[in-house]
Amino acid sequence: NKETASPGTTGKCMVMVTPDADRTMNTYLGITASFSEEEVSYDALKESQWLYVEGYLVASPSGQEAALKTLDFARKNSIKTALTMSDPNMVKFFRENFNALIGNGVDLLFCNEEEAIEFTGTNDFKEAREKLKTVSKSFVITLGKNGATLWDGKMFIDIEPHNVDALDSNGAGDMFAGAYLYGITNGH
């Protein structure tokens, strides 16, 4: 809403995509760097099945505080919690903030292979996924062109990739998480 929005600069993101569809990016968060509890609608959250927390919030003190309070509210109101690690550098430089967000655990964690290894402090993918069992009831580790691995709380399920002629991998993790959450909230 233009009348109630805080003044600030729109974020910007520069993405460079290589011919093999890999990408590197540099993001300026703009006004979202000051995201705070003021922007959280607890009334809307009360009506929700899931709370999805973006890991980029760990880089901002006000974002971290808002995420902590919102996760606490969700847990107290039997709303399932999902967290995405967002970026390997977020995990590397803000590990303690991620530990605080996870607290006694989340219901669903999204990460890629590099984030899983970085967060768990391992050098081995299989060891990393075993350690993730201690912080999340279920999780999905995306593996790029190799698909994904899902822990459903009982067993690992390998999700085979679809062969595609990828042009741009920007936003692939967010699209995956959105589709996954759509699926589980619609009985799939």
Side-chain angles (χ1 to χ4, degrees), residues 36-158:
S36 70
E37 192 179 11
E38 287 182 38
E39 286 78 35
V40 176
S41 172
Y42 288 103
D43 290 335
L45 185 54
K46 282 181 193 175
E47 303 299 318
S48 302
Q49 295 175 37
W50 284 87
L51 166 67
Y52 178 73
V53 176
E54 181 65 56
Y56 282 114
L57 292 174
V58 300
S60 159
S62 62
Q64 173 80 5
E65 182 181 351
L68 286 168
K69 288 181 178 179
T70 306
L71 282 161
D72 184 55
F73 178 88
R75 290 172 179 130
K76 287 178 179 173
N77 288 277
S78 301
I79 300 162
K80 293 182 181 176
T81 56
L83 171 68
T84 178
M85 291 194 163
S86 300
D87 182 276
N89 283 320
M90 291 290 103
V91 178
K92 181 177 182 179
F93 296 113
F94 298 97
R95 181 185 326 275
E96 291 308 311
N97 289 10
F98 272 108
N99 285 331
L101 287 184
I102 290 169
N104 292 327
V106 292
D107 293 297
L108 176 58
L109 179 69
F110 291 98
C111 60
N112 63 32
E113 183 175 9
E114 188 178 351
E115 293 158 353
I117 289 171
E118 180 68 42
F119 181 73
T120 59
T122 66
N123 290 318
D124 178 73
F125 173 69
K126 288 187 178 181
E127 186 180 345
R129 67 184 201 167
E130 289 299 319
K131 285 188 172 188
L132 287 179
K133 289 180 187 178
T134 66
V135 298
S136 187
K137 293 177 186 173
S138 64
F139 56 83
V140 180
I141 304 171
T142 56
L143 305 169
K145 67 180 181 177
N146 296 318
T149 295
L150 162 69
W151 169 252
D152 70 357
K154 297 176 188 158
M155 62 188 246
F156 285 106
I157 301 167
D158 291 326

Side-chain angles (χ1 to χ4, degrees), residues 14-25 165-170:
M14 181 172 58
V15 181
M16 293 169 278
V17 181
T18 58
D20 64 352
D22 201 4
R23 61 122 172 110
T24 188
M25 59 192 283
D165 186 17
L167 301 176
D168 185 348
S169 60
N170 191 45

